[in-house]
Amino acid sequence: MGGRKRLRITLNGNGLQPWDPFCVSEPATREISTDFLWIHVGSEPQIVRVKSYVLPDKASFSTTEAFNAAAGPNKWNRHQGFYVYRADRLIQWGGWSRLRTLDEHIKLARIAIDFKPALDPAFHINISKAVVVIPTEMREELSTIASRTVSAA
């Protein structure tokens, strides 16, 4: 992301493999939409990019190993939902931020929300980046995007 050098992390000399929650390298992954939502901080309009994906089902993954790796550290159900990125840094992963509930039938739905630090006040981001609150003025549009993604899943 962002044209930066790739980071390589090793443990006991072995390279660690990154986990892509959107499985973009899988041929059967579907990008459902890319939306740009406007939100105001004071009088300044700011943009939030929202990309939604539906991951392939088990039979459509390239390999069983790829499917198992895509489940992530908390397995499939816990990884559905929103992935919030602030300045290319993941600060919240999975869950629906009280717009929906976790559901076995929609475990393949994932949505990336990406914004710049200027929107920290709107998302209630504090110094520790431990809490993310979806701004009220975005909730309806985000709910529509989530419904569209869930329907596709």
Side-chain angles (χ1 to χ4, degrees):
M1 281 199 251
R4 295 185 180 131
K5 283 185 171 183
R6 292 189 53 85
L7 177 66
R8 179 167 156 61
I9 300 173
T10 60
L11 178 64
N12 296 328
N14 299 314
L16 299 180
Q17 296 301 311
W19 178 64
D20 173 14
F22 308 105
C23 301
V24 295
S25 63
E26 280 295 318
T29 293
R30 293 181 289 155
E31 184 178 322
I32 303 305
S33 66
T34 300
D35 297 279
F36 297 94
L37 309 180
W38 290 95
I39 187 168
H40 286 79
V41 174
S43 62
E44 291 292 314
Q46 299 286 330
I47 197 161
V48 177
R49 185 183 69 187
V50 181
K51 290 182 87 167
S52 55
Y53 300 86
V54 174
L55 279 55
D57 62 14
K58 185 175 184 176
S60 301
F61 259 86
S62 56
T63 65
T64 302
E65 293 79 17
F67 174 80
N68 291 336
N74 294 326
K75 303 305 175 212
W76 285 102
N77 274 350
R78 293 276 178 214
H79 290 297
Q80 64 185 268
F82 298 122
Y83 287 72
V84 180
Y85 293 85
R86 176 198 178 267
D88 295 329
R89 178 180 166 213
L90 181 64
I91 59 173
Q92 176 184 301
W93 53 93
W96 293 105
S97 297
R98 296 174 30 179
L99 290 176
R100 307 185 69 84
T101 58
L102 297 179
D103 182 341
E104 167 70 20
H105 299 97
I106 59 173
K107 67 184 177 188
L108 303 176
R110 298 187 182 170
I111 300 171
I113 300 171
D114 198 2
F115 63 90
K116 298 204 180 311
L119 285 173
D120 285 359
F123 283 87
H124 298 269
I125 305 298
N126 63 15
I127 193 75
S128 69
K129 320 291 185 292
V131 175
V132 177
V133 176
I134 301 297
T136 303
E137 65 186 278
M138 278 183 53
R139 292 183 76 77
E140 188 173 325
E141 287 177 291
L142 220 47
S143 183
T144 299
I145 292 167
S147 292
R148 182 174 59 221
T149 306
V150 162
S151 292

